[in-house]
Amino acid sequence: MLNSVLARGYVFLRAAHFGPTVIVTTTTFLLALSQYAPLNALRVTIAIFVGQVVVGWSNDLNDYPDDLKHNRTVKPLVRGEITSKQLLRAIKICAPFTLIFNLFGPLGIKGGLLYLFGVGMGVAYNFYFKSTLFSPLPYALAFAALVSSIVISTDRTPPIWLITCGALLGVAAHFANVLKDIDQDLESKIKGLPQRLGKKVSRIICASLLIGTTLILHSLVGNTPLLVIGLIAAAITSIAPNSVIFKSLIITVIIDLILLLNAVDSELGSLVI
């Protein structure tokens, strides 16, 4: 019985884009841990996680016809492991908890509303911005809102560098996420900014955004070894074959997240609530 429940839960986690959700949730916990006592940091993380799964599920629900067309069998809906009706029901169940956990948890009204704005941007991307010239905009706003919400919840103003790095990482994530499906997207007439620019230009933009983020964070917390690794991995992103590009992206993102957490600790300090 327990194994069946866990297996079912894992299916829904995969439908929520498991990899990115884990990265965002883990980063949130580490960032919140520098500002909150462990229990409150965990509560913030749960609130963020619930919002992330709603965005991920709405993405899979909206993309289902196209995923089916291109036989993307990594998606639980395409594999028949869950149905659209079940996924919609999960969204309806989790959406109220997203509001409650964020508005009435440690983030408070200000931090909670800002993060919910980011969730709204994620859903808006899924249903509208994805096929427009402004497809990077929701990513920029959502990622900036995520990191800023934790700082605002402690009654401080998020520094410009934090907002900027959040936005840059968000746009880089958008270009990186689209790269693998550009040809199929164009076939389906999905024409966001990366699809319009093409693979080569999109890779260069993604690499440039990551390099910019790395340089900004390095200027705040100098760490030459991490800087060199991050810059090399980001540069490889612009020229590497498809089999290598996502590995170099992951390395660069990990470096930037380490630098980001160090910068928050150095520039904002620890404020345990």
Coordinates of all heavy atoms in Angstrom, one line a residue, residues 48-83:
I48 N 6.8 27.5 -1.2 CA 7.4 27.7 -2.5 C 7.2 26.4 -3.3 O 6.8 26.5 -4.5 CB 8.9 28.0 -2.4 CG1 9.1 29.3 -1.6 CG2 9.5 28.1 -3.8 CD1 8.6 30.5 -2.2
F49 N 7.4 25.3 -2.7 CA 7.3 24.0 -3.4 C 5.9 23.8 -4.0 O 5.7 23.4 -5.1 CB 7.6 22.8 -2.5 CG 7.3 21.5 -3.1 CD1 8.1 20.9 -4.0 CD2 6.2 20.8 -2.6 CE1 7.8 19.6 -4.5 CE2 5.9 19.5 -3.1 CZ 6.7 18.9 -4.1
V50 N 4.9 24.1 -3.2 CA 3.5 23.9 -3.6 C 3.2 24.8 -4.8 O 2.5 24.4 -5.8 CB 2.5 24.2 -2.5 CG1 1.1 24.1 -3.0 CG2 2.7 23.2 -1.3
G51 N 3.7 26.0 -4.8 CA 3.5 26.9 -5.9 C 4.2 26.4 -7.2 O 3.7 26.5 -8.3
Q52 N 5.4 25.8 -7.0 CA 6.2 25.3 -8.1 C 5.4 24.1 -8.8 O 5.4 24.0 -10.0 CB 7.5 24.8 -7.7 CG 8.5 25.9 -7.3 CD 8.7 26.9 -8.4 OE1 9.2 26.5 -9.5 NE2 8.4 28.2 -8.2
V53 N 4.8 23.2 -8.0 CA 4.1 22.1 -8.6 C 2.9 22.5 -9.4 O 2.5 21.9 -10.4 CB 3.8 21.0 -7.6 CG1 5.0 20.4 -6.9 CG2 2.8 21.5 -6.5
V54 N 2.2 23.6 -8.9 CA 1.1 24.1 -9.6 C 1.5 24.6 -11.0 O 0.8 24.3 -12.0 CB 0.4 25.2 -8.8 CG1 -0.7 26.0 -9.7 CG2 -0.3 24.6 -7.6
V55 N 2.6 25.3 -11.0 CA 3.1 25.8 -12.3 C 3.5 24.7 -13.2 O 3.2 24.6 -14.4 CB 4.3 26.8 -12.1 CG1 5.0 27.1 -13.4 CG2 3.9 28.0 -11.3
G56 N 4.2 23.7 -12.7 CA 4.6 22.5 -13.5 C 3.5 21.7 -14.0 O 3.4 21.3 -15.2
W57 N 2.5 21.5 -13.1 CA 1.3 20.7 -13.6 C 0.5 21.4 -14.7 O 0.1 20.8 -15.6 CB 0.4 20.4 -12.4 CG 0.9 19.4 -11.5 CD1 1.9 18.4 -11.7 CD2 0.6 19.2 -10.1 NE1 2.1 17.6 -10.6 CE2 1.4 18.1 -9.6 CE3 -0.3 19.8 -9.2 CZ2 1.2 17.6 -8.3 CZ3 -0.4 19.4 -7.9 CH2 0.4 18.3 -7.5
S58 N 0.4 22.7 -14.5 CA -0.4 23.5 -15.5 C 0.4 23.5 -16.8 O -0.3 23.5 -17.9 CB -0.6 24.9 -15.0 OG 0.6 25.7 -14.9
N59 N 1.7 23.5 -16.8 CA 2.5 23.4 -18.0 C 2.3 22.1 -18.7 O 2.0 22.0 -19.9 CB 4.0 23.6 -17.7 CG 4.9 23.5 -18.9 OD1 5.3 22.4 -19.3 ND2 5.1 24.6 -19.5
D60 N 2.3 21.0 -18.0 CA 2.1 19.7 -18.6 C 0.7 19.5 -19.1 O 0.4 18.9 -20.2 CB 2.4 18.5 -17.6 CG 3.9 18.0 -17.8 OD1 4.7 18.8 -18.3 OD2 4.1 16.9 -17.4
L61 N -0.3 20.1 -18.4 CA -1.7 20.0 -18.8 C -1.9 20.7 -20.1 O -2.5 20.2 -21.0 CB -2.6 20.6 -17.7 CG -4.1 20.3 -17.8 CD1 -4.3 18.8 -17.7 CD2 -4.8 21.0 -16.7
N62 N -1.3 21.9 -20.2 CA -1.5 22.7 -21.4 C -0.7 22.2 -22.6 O -1.1 22.3 -23.7 CB -1.0 24.2 -21.1 CG -1.3 25.1 -22.3 OD1 -2.4 25.3 -22.7 ND2 -0.2 25.7 -22.8
D63 N 0.5 21.6 -22.3 CA 1.3 21.0 -23.4 C 0.9 19.6 -23.8 O 1.5 19.1 -24.8 CB 2.8 21.0 -22.9 CG 3.4 22.4 -22.8 OD1 2.8 23.3 -23.3 OD2 4.6 22.5 -22.4
Y64 N 0.0 19.0 -23.2 CA -0.3 17.6 -23.4 C -0.6 17.3 -24.9 O 0.0 16.4 -25.4 CB -1.5 17.2 -22.6 CG -2.0 15.8 -22.8 CD1 -1.1 14.7 -22.8 CD2 -3.3 15.5 -23.1 CE1 -1.5 13.4 -23.0 CE2 -3.7 14.2 -23.4 CZ -2.8 13.1 -23.3 OH -3.2 11.9 -23.6
P65 N -1.4 18.1 -25.6 CA -1.7 17.7 -27.0 C -0.4 17.8 -27.8 O -0.2 16.9 -28.7 CB -2.6 18.8 -27.5 CG -3.3 19.3 -26.2 CD -2.3 19.2 -25.2
D66 N 0.5 18.8 -27.6 CA 1.7 18.9 -28.3 C 2.7 17.8 -27.9 O 3.4 17.2 -28.7 CB 2.4 20.2 -28.1 CG 3.5 20.5 -29.1 OD1 3.2 20.5 -30.3 OD2 4.6 20.7 -28.6
D67 N 2.8 17.5 -26.6 CA 3.6 16.4 -26.1 C 3.2 15.1 -26.7 O 4.1 14.2 -27.1 CB 3.6 16.3 -24.6 CG 4.2 17.4 -23.9 OD1 5.1 18.1 -24.5 OD2 3.9 17.7 -22.7
L68 N 1.9 14.9 -26.9 CA 1.4 13.6 -27.5 C 1.8 13.6 -29.0 O 2.2 12.5 -29.5 CB -0.1 13.6 -27.3 CG -0.8 12.2 -27.5 CD1 -0.3 11.2 -26.5 CD2 -2.3 12.4 -27.3
K69 N 1.6 14.7 -29.6 CA 2.0 14.8 -31.0 C 3.4 14.4 -31.3 O 3.7 13.7 -32.3 CB 1.7 16.2 -31.5 CG 2.1 16.5 -33.0 CD 1.9 17.9 -33.3 CE 2.4 18.2 -34.7 NZ 2.2 19.7 -35.1
H70 N 4.3 14.8 -30.4 CA 5.7 14.6 -30.6 C 6.2 13.4 -29.8 O 7.5 13.2 -29.7 CB 6.6 15.8 -30.2 CG 6.3 17.0 -31.1 ND1 6.7 17.0 -32.5 CD2 5.7 18.2 -30.9 CE1 6.3 18.1 -33.0 NE2 5.7 18.9 -32.1
N71 N 5.3 12.6 -29.2 CA 5.6 11.4 -28.5 C 6.7 11.6 -27.4 O 7.6 10.9 -27.3 CB 6.1 10.3 -29.5 CG 6.1 8.9 -28.9 OD1 5.2 8.6 -28.0 ND2 7.0 8.1 -29.3
R72 N 6.5 12.6 -26.6 CA 7.4 12.9 -25.5 C 7.0 12.0 -24.3 O 6.4 12.4 -23.4 CB 7.3 14.4 -25.1 CG 7.8 15.3 -26.2 CD 7.8 16.7 -25.8 NE 8.2 17.6 -26.9 CZ 7.5 18.6 -27.4 NH1 6.4 18.9 -26.8 NH2 8.0 19.4 -28.4
T73 N 7.5 10.8 -24.4 CA 7.1 9.7 -23.4 C 7.7 9.9 -22.1 O 7.4 9.1 -21.2 CB 7.5 8.3 -24.0 OG1 8.9 8.3 -24.3 CG2 6.7 8.0 -25.2
V74 N 8.6 10.9 -21.9 CA 9.1 11.2 -20.5 C 8.0 11.8 -19.7 O 8.1 11.9 -18.5 CB 10.3 12.1 -20.6 CG1 11.5 11.4 -21.2 CG2 10.0 13.4 -21.2
K75 N 7.0 12.3 -20.3 CA 5.9 13.0 -19.6 C 4.8 11.9 -19.2 O 4.4 11.1 -20.0 CB 5.2 14.0 -20.5 CG 6.1 15.1 -21.1 CD 6.5 16.1 -20.0 CE 7.2 17.3 -20.6 NZ 6.3 18.3 -21.2
P76 N 4.5 12.0 -17.9 CA 3.5 11.0 -17.3 C 2.2 11.0 -18.1 O 1.6 9.9 -18.2 CB 3.4 11.4 -15.9 CG 4.7 12.1 -15.5 CD 5.1 12.8 -16.8
L77 N 1.7 12.2 -18.5 CA 0.5 12.2 -19.2 C 0.6 11.4 -20.5 O -0.4 10.7 -20.9 CB 0.1 13.7 -19.5 CG -0.7 14.4 -18.4 CD1 -0.9 15.9 -18.9 CD2 -2.0 13.8 -18.1
V78 N 1.7 11.6 -21.2 CA 1.8 10.9 -22.5 C 2.0 9.4 -22.3 O 1.5 8.6 -23.1 CB 3.1 11.5 -23.3 CG1 3.3 10.7 -24.6 CG2 2.9 13.0 -23.6
R79 N 2.6 9.0 -21.2 CA 2.8 7.6 -20.9 C 1.5 7.0 -20.4 O 1.5 5.7 -20.3 CB 3.9 7.4 -19.9 CG 5.3 7.8 -20.4 CD 6.3 7.7 -19.3 NE 6.4 6.4 -18.7 CZ 7.3 5.5 -19.1 NH1 8.1 5.8 -20.1 NH2 7.4 4.3 -18.6
G80 N 0.5 7.8 -20.1 CA -0.7 7.2 -19.6 C -0.7 6.9 -18.1 O -1.6 6.2 -17.6
E81 N 0.3 7.4 -17.4 CA 0.5 7.1 -16.0 C -0.5 7.9 -15.1 O -0.9 7.5 -14.0 CB 1.9 7.4 -15.5 CG 2.9 6.5 -16.1 CD 4.3 6.8 -15.8 OE1 4.8 8.0 -16.1 OE2 5.0 6.0 -15.1
I82 N -0.9 9.0 -15.7 CA -2.0 9.8 -15.1 C -2.9 10.4 -16.2 O -2.5 10.4 -17.4 CB -1.5 11.0 -14.2 CG1 -0.5 11.8 -15.0 CG2 -0.9 10.5 -12.9 CD1 0.0 13.0 -14.2
T83 N -4.0 10.9 -15.9 CA -4.9 11.5 -16.9 C -5.0 13.0 -16.7 O -4.6 13.5 -15.6 CB -6.3 10.9 -16.8 OG1 -6.9 11.3 -15.5 CG2 -6.3 9.4 -16.8

